[in-house]
Amino acid sequence: MTKIYYPVNVAKIVMILFNLAILVAGLAVHDALWLSGVFFCGLIGVQSHFTVFEDTRDTNWVNRLDIWLSLLTLLFLLCKFFVVTAVPA
């Protein structure tokens, strides 16, 4: 089996920075409405991953970092949304 490796470009770095910004925004926001907006932006980030990165079998560390960061951010935001909306303000 051959290893698939695509080089890093500017769009891939921007995707990582976008997902980091979503994670930081999710950490900073405590309102349910704003948190749902950040979660939606996280969903857009996951969808953009599959547009920017050429192949999911890519062995480049940037590809792996971005997909794990995207999915863990979504999981964190979903859990935080449940916690924020479960407790009355």
Side-chain angles (χ1 to χ4, degrees):
M1 183 171 184
T2 60
K3 292 183 96 176
I4 298 172
Y5 185 86
Y6 291 101
V8 178
N9 57 20
V10 175
K12 294 177 182 179
I13 300 298
V14 168
M15 280 304 305
I16 291 175
L17 294 176
F18 177 76
N19 286 320
L20 283 174
I22 294 298
L23 180 61
V24 169
L27 290 171
V29 171
H30 299 291
D31 183 42
L33 183 64
W34 285 100
L35 196 58
S36 62
V38 172
F39 185 78
F40 182 73
C41 290
L43 288 173
I44 291 173
V46 170
Q47 186 271 333
S48 297
H49 170 86
F50 296 106
T51 303
V52 170
F53 290 88
E54 294 89 353
D55 196 352
T56 56
R57 296 172 296 168
D58 186 10
T59 57
N60 194 345
W61 64 272
V62 175
N63 184 14
R64 307 275 170 110
L65 175 68
D66 186 65
I67 193 65
W68 281 109
L69 182 65
S70 300
L71 295 176
L72 291 176
T73 299
L74 282 181
L75 183 65
F76 167 75
L77 290 174
L78 185 64
C79 292
K80 184 173 180 178
F81 183 78
F82 284 145
V83 168
V84 166
T85 57
V87 178

